[in-house]
């Protein structure tokens, strides 16, 4: 069995002092680790009748598309402003300094479609909360969220209630 944790590289003080960056690029570069990661993220949802996997750029896209294929689902991108060409729902959210915004096509999800939200990592939960609010605007049936990594100390899970959260690797 692949020890996925051994493929995550810790980089202290990136991108700024005090942040311990969990670098997944060694995992992405290894075929067995990449496959094992996708399998583990998909496993709880294999029988969940997922219609659509939704994920935010950029690292969410890396796992979102193979998960969609593994689950027999479609993929819907959630993007930064200026990237999606059709009519949009938008959600602005707080960062540590200032605000950011994510968008989804208004017709990306049909009302009632069963959606799984995917990202590489859950930290403060700001990104996934924005995704959830956008999917709610689409009247999606949100089945749950799947992450490779959950940084538990940052409290992101509380922002995701009442939705089901699954993560493969947890760091305290
Ligand atoms: C990272 C990561 C998650 C988010 C988690 O993305 O891929 O989407 O941070 O942090 P949060 O829970 O505090 O929102 P980032 O914004 O660095 O962008 P990237 O995917 O383009 O690297
Ligand atoms: N995104 C938000 N916090 C992160 C961290 N500590 N490592 C990698 N990606 C992140």
């Amino acid at each position: 069995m692949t020890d996925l944790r051994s493929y995550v590289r810790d980089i202290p003080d990136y991108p700024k002092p005090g942040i311990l960056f969990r670098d997944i690029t060694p995992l992405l570069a290894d075929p067995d680790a990449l496959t094992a990661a996708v399998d583990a993220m998909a496993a709880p949802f294999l029988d969940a009748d997922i219609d659509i996997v939704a994920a935010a750029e950029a690292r969410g896209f890396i796992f979102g598309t193979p998960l969609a294929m593994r689950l027999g689902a479609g993929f819907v991108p959630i993007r930064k402003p200026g990237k999606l060409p059709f009519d949009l729902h938008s959600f602005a959210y707080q960062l540590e300094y200032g605000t950011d915004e994510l968008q989804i096509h208004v017709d990306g999800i049909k009302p009632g479609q069963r959606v799984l939200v995917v990202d590489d990592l859950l930290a403060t939960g700001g990104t996934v909360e924005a995704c959830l609010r956008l999917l709610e605007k689409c009247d999606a049936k949100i089945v749950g969220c799947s992450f490779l990594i959950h940084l538990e100390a940052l409290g992101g899970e509380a922002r995701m209630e009442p939705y089901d959260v699954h993560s493969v690797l947890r760091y305290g």
Side-chain angles (χ1 to χ4, degrees):
M1 186 163 157
T2 311
D3 175 16
L4 289 176
R5 202 174 284 262
S6 69
Y7 291 89
V8 178
R9 178 167 56 185
D10 290 350
I11 311 280
D13 299 320
Y14 182 89
K16 51 187 182 183
I19 304 288
L20 180 59
F21 193 86
R22 308 290 184 174
D23 176 20
I24 61 167
T25 59
L27 182 151
L28 299 176
D30 183 278
D32 293 336
L34 178 58
T35 301
V38 171
D39 287 347
M41 292 172 75
F45 302 99
L46 288 174
D47 297 321
D49 291 325
I50 303 298
D51 297 308
I52 299 287
V53 169
E57 64 175 301
R59 280 179 269 158
F61 288 6
I62 296 171
F63 291 102
T65 312
L67 248 79
M69 296 172 76
R70 191 64 50 95
L71 295 172
F75 177 79
V76 169
I78 296 174
R79 301 211 62 180
K80 301 271 172 65
K83 299 292 185 182
L84 289 172
F86 189 59
D87 296 342
L88 301 164
H89 292 304
S90 297
F91 187 83
Y93 58 105
Q94 286 294 129
L95 294 173
E96 203 169 353
Y97 303 108
T99 61
D100 210 340
E101 190 173 355
L102 285 172
Q103 300 180 324
I104 192 170
H105 276 154
V106 292
D107 64 349
I109 314 279
K110 296 183 184 64
Q113 277 193 309
R114 294 174 62 79
V115 177
L116 177 67
V117 183
V118 166
D119 208 345
D120 69 318
L121 185 141
L122 172 62
T124 67
T127 304
V128 70
E129 186 181 9
C131 293
L132 293 169
R133 297 292 92 81
L134 289 171
L135 292 166
E136 288 166 352
K137 290 186 189 196
C138 295
D139 294 321
K141 165 71 182 142
I142 299 168
V143 176
C145 307
S146 188
F147 299 94
L148 176 63
I149 294 172
H150 179 183
L151 305 183
E152 292 178 319
L154 296 175
E157 195 164 356
R159 298 173 74 166
M160 302 177 56
E161 289 176 3
Y163 299 114
D164 186 27
V165 181
H166 170 72
S167 49
V168 178
L169 300 174
R170 281 171 284 278
Y171 293 81

